[in-house]
Amino acid sequence: MQRFNGKVAFVTGAASGIGLATMTRLGREGAKIFAADINAGQLAKEVAKLSEEGVDIHSRTLDVTDEADCRAAVEQCVAQFGKLDVLCNIAGMVLTKNFADVSVAEWDRVMTVNTRSVFVLCQAAMPHLLEAGGNIVNISSAAGLQGLPYNSAYCASKGAVLLLSKSLAVEFAGRGVRVNAVCPGAVDTPLIKGLQIPEGADIALYGRMSPLTSYFAQAEEIAGSVAYLASDEARFVTGSALVIDGGQTAI
């Protein structure tokens, strides 16, 4: 499929995991890609691979906690390609800790990376998306729908991303911009592989984080859903929370 011929997509978190899978999927479907990530070395390697495949791709090292950097990245994308059709907010982090051990600084960092960056990038991109009749796909989480133990900051941040997406969907539906969120559960990515069980944690509670399936999702499966929501096939879909969690939130 070449659903994104002539389209420009801005993807954060593009150096690994869901972000990498998404920029690869969109690029192979014809999109011009502006890839952003804080990991400059890994980003350069992945961008080079896609460029060799013939994808029109440019990149920028981006610290999503820096408002000015986020706004400058959007303007660089538009200067490079002349427009912006799709914004994919995928960069994120997780913090698994006993609630009593979460510092204010840690709370603030999770909220800044996972939530404030989405707000800033959506705000910066919106004028260009309005001009192009584009759309936004934000990565929320099953943790934005269901309370998970030892994930207070992460749950709060992803719940905020989900309702931010719904609010924008309502505000801009009549102006031609769609906004949706994807809510993955357990995905086989470097992010989830780095999780550590907090000291003294009740292991039984971890059942709330488990899919009903015997396996985790692959990043490419989430990317496929992002591509659907970002494509014209989903022209009547806005304000949705597409849950891809192997049944985690079904019980």
Side-chain angles (χ1 to χ4, degrees), residues 46-110:
E46 300 300 344
V47 165
K49 290 177 186 177
L50 274 184
S51 182
E52 289 174 3
E53 292 185 23
V55 174
D56 190 350
I57 184 169
H58 292 266
S59 64
R60 176 191 177 102
T61 305
L62 174 63
D63 178 359
V64 296
T65 68
D66 186 326
E67 178 188 352
D69 202 14
C70 287
R71 295 188 186 278
V74 170
E75 294 310 311
Q76 183 182 341
C77 172
V78 174
Q80 179 67 51
F81 292 117
K83 64 171 183 170
L84 176 59
D85 298 283
V86 179
L87 171 63
C88 298
N89 282 307
I90 302 177
M93 65 171 291
V94 66
L95 178 70
T96 304
K97 274 188 137 181
N98 288 298
F99 177 64
D101 297 332
V102 178
S103 69
V104 170
E106 288 172 324
W107 176 276
D108 287 347
R109 178 158 180 78
V110 173

Side-chain angles (χ1 to χ4, degrees), residues 34 68 81 89 138 149 168 209:
F34 191 87
F81 292 117
N89 282 307
N138 295 323
L168 295 181
M209 303 174 67

Side-chain angles (χ1 to χ4, degrees), residues 9 16 21 23-24 46 65 93 107 110 117 123 129 138 140 174-176 182 186-187 197 204 215-216 219 225 232:
S16 65
M23 79 164 183
T24 300
E46 300 300 344
T65 68
M93 65 171 291
W107 176 276
V110 173
S117 70
Q123 192 177 67
L129 296 172
N138 295 323
S140 178
R175 300 176 66 185
V182 177
V187 184
I197 298 174
Y215 52 87
F216 286 1
S225 299
D232 290 341

Side-chain angles (χ1 to χ4, degrees), residues 128-171:
H128 306 292
L129 296 172
L130 285 166
E131 185 175 346
N135 70 88
I136 298 169
V137 183
N138 295 323
I139 297 296
S140 178
S141 172
L145 297 167
Q146 177 189 66
L148 299 181
Y150 315 112
N151 279 268
S152 54
Y154 184 70
C155 285
S157 70
K158 290 301 187 178
V161 167
L162 178 56
L163 286 184
L164 170 62
S165 302
K166 286 180 175 289
S167 177
L168 295 181
V170 172
E171 184 170 344

Side-chain angles (χ1 to χ4, degrees), residues 237-248:
V237 182
T238 193
S240 72
L242 181 52
V243 181
I244 311 172
D245 68 354
Q248 175 184 323

